[in-house]
Each structure stands twice: as C-alpha cells, then as structure tokens.
Amino acid sequence: MANITAQMVKELRDITGAGMMDCKAALGETSGNVESAVDWLRKKGLSKAAKKAGRVAAEGLIGIVLKGNKGVVVEVNSETDFVARNDLFQGLVLMVADVALDVGADVEKIKVAKAGSLTIDESISETIAKIGENMTLRRAAQLSVGKGVVGGYVHNSVSEGLGKMGVIIGLESTGKTEEIAELARLLAQHVAAANPQAVDSSGLDPNLIVREKDVLADKARTQGKPANVIEKIVEGGLKTFYKEVCLLEQGYIRDDKKSVAQVLKEAEGKVGAPIKVTGFVRVVLGEGVEKQESDFAAEVAAAAGQS
C-alpha cells in the first residue's frame, strides 16, 4: 500500500478540483499514482477539470524574436521576479533569443554560440556576477515556414518581446504578407488563451486519445449504458475532446461561434491564397518547475533552538 501524503492529496486536488477525501480515496485506489488517480476521479464524475497546466514556480522571462518566416521563443530563469525587471537581465534574454534565431533551439548549441566577443554561456556567467543571482537558460523552440509568416504574442509583457508567456505560430501561405502577419498575431493570442495541445487530432499523442476513450467508456459503463450506446458516447465524447484540445477545432476566442478552421478559411479570401497552420509553440514561465517552499515558522523555530 502506497504511503499517501498530504502533499500528494493537495497536488491531486489542485489538478482536479475534487474534494480532499475524494482525492485521498483516488490515490488509495491507484497506489499513489497521480495520473491514474486523475482518471479514477473523472470516471467517478468527481473531477472538475480533466487537465490543469503545470505549476508555475520559477522566475525569469520568456523572450521571443520574429524575423519574417522564422521565429524563436526562449526561457531564461532567475531566482526572483525582481531580476526580471532588471534592464541587464532583459537584454540578456533578448540576446539569447537573437542567437537562437540563428543557431536553432538546441540549448547546448546556444550556450556555446557567440554574441560579440563572448559565448552565451559566458554572457550568462557575467550577468550572474553583476546581478548576484543565479540564472539558467532552460529551453528554446524555433519555428520556420517556407513561404509565409511566423507570428507571435507575449503575455504579461514587461518590455518588447519579453514577458511571462510566449507563443509563436507558423502560417504557410503565398498570400499578402502583412495580412498574414496580423492573422498570425491574433492566432498566437488565441493559443495563449485557449492552450491547444495540437493543430489537429493527427498531432495528438495516440496514448492520450486511448486514455480519453477509456475514461469515456468506463464512465458510461458505470452508468449502466449498453455496449452499442457506449460506442456512440465515446465517439461523441471524442469530438467534444478534439474541440477542446485541437487548435483548428477550437472556438475562436474573438468569435466563439466560429472555429479557428473557419476563421482561416475566411482569411484565405482576404489574403488571396490558402493558409496552413504548420505548428505552434506555447511556453509559460516556469511550467513544470517546482520551486522549493520554505516553512518560515519552522525556520524561525529552528534558529531560536540554536541560539
């Protein structure tokens, strides 16, 4: 029997919105496996959310640089949010993004690439020495299209191209560049708000689809539905799921009566050529990084005990 800790229960509760006792029961039934516990709660109809973005804990900035048919997004972490407002740190992040635009998204290649007389790694070390706080280049991603535009959007912007979330999106088209660029900017905003997982269903992880089918089928079985009805419920449930997680099928944030695919089709008439979304990248500062939380009261008590 797995040892179910209060932290595990809290994590599951944060993800699902389910009650504390239900979360504890789910973890007990699944030997402490959080992912399986999420599914267990969903099958019981107790989960209020199928998925929640990874916990954001790290500080620093996301930087994006766009240049015609190419764009890049980078994440540079710092220890405190205060540093993110420092001009020197902001300049460093944009320098990293500029280099990544040329050398690609491989972090190790970016670190050894030169910006002026120093490598990026040396520039980071120099900035650490000046500011007195640790910094790391965590990740980078790049998109390019043959013909068309890579557009972008920065959320919670602190300066041009810098903020807490960055999105880049590729639109392939031979149409009017200025209009495609504006559409790319608007679609990047949509991606920031709607958080799709893929352009369309073909881009989803097959295991994710299997998992969704299993949840839908098991939930229908517990409601006593016959096999032929379960099949239809799963089919309908998958269509709803795709509308939630696939960019082209999502309701457009500026007009939810239209899907993103319909918005693209309408735009094709204005730009004078077909438009294809080749891909997108959405990066949230600190996503998936867990910052160690200190217990201030415990620290004070420990210090008092030592004095």
Side-chain angles (χ1 to χ4, degrees):
M1 176 92 180
N3 180 32
I4 309 303
T5 65
Q7 181 59 36
M8 291 164 68
V9 174
K10 181 181 182 298
E11 181 185 351
L12 184 59
R13 192 177 184 186
D14 287 343
I15 294 169
T16 64
M20 186 172 68
M21 295 310 294
D22 290 327
C23 289
K24 190 173 182 180
L27 288 163
E29 290 290 332
T30 57
S31 302
N33 185 297
V34 174
E35 188 174 278
S36 298
V38 171
D39 288 349
W40 189 89
L41 287 166
R42 291 183 64 204
K43 290 170 186 177
K44 298 288 184 182
L46 298 171
S47 173
K48 295 174 185 173
K51 180 177 174 288
K52 189 175 179 182
R55 291 180 64 183
V56 178
E59 303 299 346
L61 284 172
I62 304 297
I64 70 169
V65 172
L66 308 170
K67 193 174 181 181
N69 65 342
K70 189 188 286 189
V72 70
V73 55
V74 301
E75 177 179 2
V76 182
N77 294 136
S78 60
E79 291 180 45
T80 65
D81 182 55
F82 180 75
V83 169
R85 300 191 292 273
N86 182 291
D87 289 343
L88 193 61
F89 180 72
Q90 291 178 9
L92 173 70
V93 178
L94 287 176
M95 179 171 36
V96 170
D98 277 328
V99 169
L101 194 68
D102 290 331
V103 304
D106 186 300
V107 168
E108 296 309 313
K109 285 184 180 177
I110 296 170
K111 285 180 179 179
V112 298
K114 281 203 167 185
S117 60
L118 301 176
T119 65
I120 289 297
D121 213 17
E122 289 167 342
S123 294
I124 292 173
S125 297
E126 191 176 78
T127 309
I128 290 170
K130 287 178 180 175
I131 295 179
E133 187 168 306
N134 192 32
M135 299 161 199
T136 57
L137 168 57
R138 184 181 175 213
R139 52 181 167 165
Q142 189 187 84
L143 284 179
S144 61
V145 293
K147 292 277 187 181
V149 171
V150 173
Y153 169 70
V154 172
H155 189 61
N156 287 338
S157 176
V158 297
S159 185
E160 184 70 29
L162 297 169
K164 301 295 186 182
M165 179 199 298
V167 175
I168 54 175
I169 185 167
L171 297 186
E172 196 159 75
S173 179
T174 56
K176 299 171 187 172
T177 302
E178 284 187 14
E179 296 204 18
I180 296 167
E182 175 59 13
L183 177 62
R185 184 184 70 82
L186 294 175
L187 288 179
Q189 288 181 350
H190 172 96
V191 170
N195 191 19
Q197 295 180 37
V199 174
D200 54 35
S201 59
S202 68
L204 291 172
D205 182 348
N207 293 326
L208 180 65
I209 297 172
V210 169
R211 183 180 166 193
E212 191 65 23
K213 283 181 176 178
D214 288 345
V215 167
L216 290 165
D218 285 353
K219 192 172 181 180
R221 283 190 202 99
T222 60
Q223 295 169 348
K225 306 291 185 186
N228 63 321
V229 174
I230 289 174
E231 191 176 331
K232 289 179 181 176
I233 288 173
V234 171
E235 189 179 324
L238 274 182
K239 286 181 181 177
T240 301
F241 177 65
Y242 293 152
K243 286 179 181 177
E244 292 171 355
V245 301
C246 297
L247 173 62
L248 296 181
E249 297 192 37
Q250 287 180 328
Y252 184 45
I253 58 166
R254 290 173 175 267
D255 183 358
D256 59 10
K257 294 182 177 65
K258 298 175 183 176
S259 68
V260 171
Q262 288 172 318
V263 170
L264 282 168
K265 184 56 70 176
E266 289 177 7
E268 287 178 351
K270 295 177 183 176
V271 306
I275 305 170
K276 179 185 178 184
V277 179
T278 60
F280 64 84
V281 180
R282 180 182 185 272
V283 178
V284 179
L285 180 67
E287 194 170 45
V289 176
E290 196 69 51
K291 183 163 64 176
Q292 186 174 359
E293 295 178 9
S294 62
D295 185 335
F296 182 69
E299 286 177 13
V300 172
Q306 292 170 3
S307 60

